[in-house]
Amino acid sequence: MILILLGPPGAGKGSQAKLIVDEFKVNHISTGDIFRKNIKEETDLGLKVKDIIAKGELVSDELTNELVFETLSKENTPAGFMLDGYPRNINQAKALDKWLEENNKEVTEVILVDADVNVLIERISGRRVCKNCGATYHVKNLPPKVEGICDVCGNELVQRPDDNEETARDRIEVYNEQTSPLIDYYEKSGRLARFDGNEDIDVVYEHVRNSLK
Ligand code: AP5
Ligand code: MG
Ligand code: ZN
């Protein structure tokens, strides 16, 4: 199974990804998570992308494609893999199609999770992530048992540097301009499945899992 998770920032791609991985055992490949790990570890890549990500702009296609294809070339999870946050523009989608063709692979389904702008802003502003294990919470929708502390590992919860309202609005604009044309791109090839991300996490997932069975 090869899945692509598409949707604006805050729609719930990461939240759905976790549930999909638990049930379908695919490998979750999130370009955003890989970039953030590199930033945390202060690698060369991390230093190059840190300011771009903090501003909510897109990392260059060259760097991103190289990172993805390097990751995919090592990928051998029996159940397959799921790309989250990639591709993010037509150029990246074409590069991915070329890579898949060369490697005799095909996308099973493109999962589009969308939500209203006010919902996106509220979710992004309220998101908290564990500094240590990356578990994701929301101050209202999915609060931890103890405020500011991760339920899973007991470490501190923090806000992503790009999770303030101003940067969230910029990220949504980038999505509308550069990423949303992918909806048409994948719809034309008959691989797109749309889901209403305004609903509760479990409700959205129930629809997603049914589409995958
Ligand atoms: P990335 O990490 O991909 O971020 P994003 O696309 O902005 O999406 P988010 O992770 O913010 O949201 P999400 O949809 O995963 O929502 P989540 O499930 O966490 O990218 C970050 C940056 O990296 C980019 O801006 C760019 O700079 C760079 N980058 C990454 N990929 C790139 C690429 N391919 N090319 C170039 N640059 C790239 O949910 C959000 C919150 O809402 C959580 O608190 C959650 O608990 C809550 N929530 C989720 N779903 C629900 C629900 N249904 N009901 C109630 N609450 C919910
Ligand atoms: Mg995410
Ligand atoms: Zn944790």
Side-chain angles (χ1 to χ4, degrees):
M1 184 147 77
I2 297 180
L3 305 175
I4 294 176
L5 270 172
L6 183 63
K13 299 183 294 296
S15 303
Q16 294 303 317
K18 191 176 173 295
L19 299 170
I20 294 169
V21 169
D22 286 349
E23 183 164 354
F24 294 93
K25 315 294 177 205
V26 289
N27 186 17
H28 178 208
I29 302 170
S30 155
T31 40
D33 286 352
I34 301 174
F35 286 137
R36 280 185 290 276
K37 182 166 183 279
N38 277 274
I39 293 171
K40 192 175 162 196
E41 291 169 359
E42 298 183 341
T43 65
D44 286 347
L45 176 65
L47 294 173
K48 273 188 209 158
V49 303
K50 188 175 178 188
D51 293 345
I52 301 171
I53 291 186
K55 277 190 274 182
E57 291 166 8
L58 292 190
V59 174
S60 75
D61 292 342
E62 200 187 344
L63 270 183
T64 308
N65 288 334
E66 194 187 308
L67 173 77
V68 170
F69 301 142
E70 197 198 307
T71 308
L72 289 183
S73 67
K74 293 183 210 143
E75 164 52 43
N76 60 2
T77 310
F81 60 86
M82 170 173 52
L83 293 165
D84 165 1
Y86 180 91
R88 235 174 167 97
N89 58 33
I90 296 283
N91 198 11
Q92 292 182 10
K94 287 185 174 162
L96 175 65
D97 276 349
K98 185 161 171 276
W99 187 91
L100 291 169
E101 200 185 324
E102 283 167 5
N103 289 276
N104 290 315
K105 293 181 195 296
E106 244 177 58
V107 173
T108 315
E109 184 172 302
V110 178
I111 298 168
L112 170 66
V113 184
D114 206 349
D116 301 336
V117 175
N118 56 326
V119 172
L120 300 176
I121 300 284
E122 195 263 338
R123 287 195 190 155
I124 292 173
S125 311
R127 173 168 49 196
R128 299 292 182 273
V129 288
C130 174
K131 241 172 132 169
N132 176 51
C133 74
T136 299
Y137 301 85
H138 188 280
V139 288
K140 276 198 228 131
N141 308 339
L142 198 66
K145 292 194 184 91
V146 181
E147 197 188 320
I149 302 294
C150 178
D151 291 348
V152 182
C153 74
N155 275 275
E156 189 193 347
L157 301 182
V158 293
Q159 244 186 319
R160 272 169 42 178
D162 59 345
D163 272 357
N164 54 76
E165 179 169 345
E166 197 192 331
T167 311
R169 290 196 186 277
D170 292 342
R171 285 159 57 201
I172 293 169
E173 203 175 303
V174 169
Y175 171 83
N176 288 334
E177 281 173 10
Q178 303 193 45
T179 312
S180 66
L182 293 180
I183 297 172
D184 243 19
Y185 183 87
Y186 286 118
E187 188 139 60
K188 281 194 183 111
S189 61
R191 290 173 286 179
L192 189 81
R194 292 172 187 260
F195 301 93
D196 180 5
N198 293 298
E199 309 225 49
D200 286 349
I201 294 182
D202 293 344
V203 176
V204 179
Y205 182 62
E206 196 52 35
H207 295 297
V208 170
R209 76 190 285 266
N210 286 336
S211 82
L212 295 174
K213 289 207 157 157

